Amino acid sequence: MKVRSEASNKSVTRRAFAIGSLGTAAAAALAACGGGSSSTSSSSASSAASSAASSSAAPTGAAATLTLWTDAERSPALKDIAAKFKADKGIEVKLVVKDFASVRDDFITQAPTGKGPDIIVGPHDWLGKLVQNGVVAPVQLGDKASLFNPVAVKAFTYEGQVYGLPYAVENIGLLRNKKIIPEAAKTFEEVVAAGKKAVSAGSAKYPFLVGLDPKQGDPYHLYPLQTSLGSVVFETGADGGYDASKLGLDTPGGAEFAKKLQEWGDKGSKVFNSNITANIAKEKFNKGESGYFLSGPWNVPDAVKGGVDLVVDPLPTAGDKPAQPFVGVNGFMISAKSTNALAANEFVVNYLSLAEAQDSLFKQGGRPPALLESFEKASADPIIKAFGDIGTNGLPMPAIPQMDAVWADWGATELKLIKGGVADPAAEWKKMVSNVQAKIKG
């Protein structure tokens, strides 16, 4: 399996989550569906979208040049398709490499001045802020929508409009060392039992590994266990998008999850260890000190390099509901301020949707392709197939701006429960929900 290392992977949605989460936490202390219910929408975006969407015919012979902001890793994969577009349409696609850490904010700042690009590539959970600032235009996929993983299209759907053409899907899975744990388990209870058996047999030191931030826990990685108990972060509305007015944390399943966190934590069964960070968990798994590691494809290359006999299992359930991870989707978005909207729409919808483009991006980045044809080819690698299959049943990371009000309290409460000593975990969880609701209301 070819995937970029975590160290170099600043372009993926999970990384975007981490940056955002830490940023929010630092300030305070970062399908169902990707859309939200934010009332803010951009009339300028809609106008531009209408113009772009009306372009079913290729703008031939034009002298225009399109500018696409990308990062250094994706740029090589886009050169061939850009050359094909120039040969077919006579329009050059200028690939401008940007620092991914600042590209979203640069785009929001520069697009209204006319200095921004025509096209930008990034994760779907940027949409809330991009739409709110009126800098991206809807994209009409038409019949092409059926060619993509439905979760990927939903992830780029915001307020009922599709704002991007997806190309890669990313989510976590359960990494297992077959030398230590030969057989897959379905439930988290079975996972823990198998992990403890390995420890008792002397073939492992830890029954289970997941990295936890020392201040923020990790709601992202623990989310499948929470969803399997019947608690999501936001409920969805009638249009299938996330409804910011319906926080889904305050459910009996959420209270049950709170109790489980304490039971699994430092003063309970010690399945979770608040002193084990993401880097420590990775190191210990790669050294063969545990049969399980709850993580994503970004940790696969080093595990294989370290000699782990690796397989990726479906996420185990802690309750009677599906264990659904957050899904991050990367794709291409069109600037609402582009003066070349017709050409930009043509390149994004009719060229970046081609298998050759999606294949090339997969070869460069190693994430399961969003285009079903490309994913089928990539699935020759069982690890790619496993992550892709898990993602198909996942939930897009909410793109709504209200998510910024959730991470800090959510993660800190999880960590407090894992550390143990909370008299009433359900009451602690409810207190967290109240704090989040107050922040959302402002």
Side-chain angles (χ1 to χ4, degrees), residues 198-219:
V199 172
S200 297
S203 55
K205 186 176 180 180
Y206 301 92
F208 180 85
L209 288 169
V210 61
L212 298 172
D213 183 273
K215 293 183 179 179
Q216 290 295 302
D218 198 327

Side-chain angles (χ1 to χ4, degrees), residues 296-318:
W298 48 89
N299 278 327
V300 166
D302 286 346
V304 174
K305 185 178 178 181
V308 175
D309 189 2
L310 189 68
V311 65
V312 177
D313 292 338
L315 293 163
T317 56

Side-chain angles (χ1 to χ4, degrees), residues 326-396:
F326 279 129
V327 173
V329 182
N330 280 272
F332 297 89
M333 295 163 275
I334 298 173
S335 171
K337 310 300 182 184
S338 171
T339 57
N340 302 310
L342 295 178
N345 191 73
E346 175 70 12
F347 181 64
V348 168
V349 174
N350 293 324
Y351 280 76
L352 292 173
S353 64
L354 295 173
E356 62 189 273
Q358 301 256 332
D359 291 349
S360 179
L361 287 160
F362 165 69
K363 290 175 182 175
Q364 187 69 27
R367 266 68 185 178
L371 186 73
L372 296 175
E373 179 184 347
S374 294
F375 174 67
E376 185 175 349
K377 287 183 280 186
S379 293
D381 182 329
I383 291 179
I384 290 288
K385 177 173 172 46
F387 278 116
D389 289 345
I390 292 168
T392 298
N393 296 313
L395 301 171

Side-chain angles (χ1 to χ4, degrees), residues 2 33 35 49 75 77 86 104 129 145 217 236 250 275 331 335 348 352 366 381 386 424 426:
K2 287 181 62 179
C33 333
S75 180
K86 184 175 182 180
R104 184 187 67 175
K129 289 191 175 180
T236 53
D250 191 14
N275 294 312
S335 171
V348 168
L352 292 173
D381 182 329
D424 187 342

Side-chain angles (χ1 to χ4, degrees), residues 55-63 85 88-91 340-347:
S55 173
S56 58
T60 58
F85 188 66
D88 290 352
K89 307 298 180 185
I91 300 173
N340 302 310
L342 295 178
N345 191 73
E346 175 70 12
F347 181 64

Side-chain angles (χ1 to χ4, degrees), residues 241-331:
Y242 285 112
D243 187 339
S245 70
K246 296 180 180 178
L247 196 63
L249 295 168
D250 191 14
T251 64
E256 180 65 18
F257 180 60
K259 294 177 184 176
K260 291 289 188 183
L261 287 175
Q262 181 145 294
E263 290 175 12
W264 294 327
D266 296 347
K267 296 181 180 179
S269 61
K270 297 181 174 57
V271 174
F272 296 160
N273 186 328
S274 64
N275 294 312
I276 292 183
T277 65
N279 286 337
I280 293 173
K282 174 182 175 179
E283 178 185 356
K284 292 186 179 301
F285 181 71
N286 292 351
K287 287 183 177 179
E289 294 185 16
S290 178
Y292 292 115
F293 183 22
L294 186 63
S295 189
W298 48 89
N299 278 327
V300 166
D302 286 346
V304 174
K305 185 178 178 181
V308 175
D309 189 2
L310 189 68
V311 65
V312 177
D313 292 338
L315 293 163
T317 56
D320 59 0
K321 304 288 193 301
Q324 295 179 284
F326 279 129
V327 173
V329 182
N330 280 272

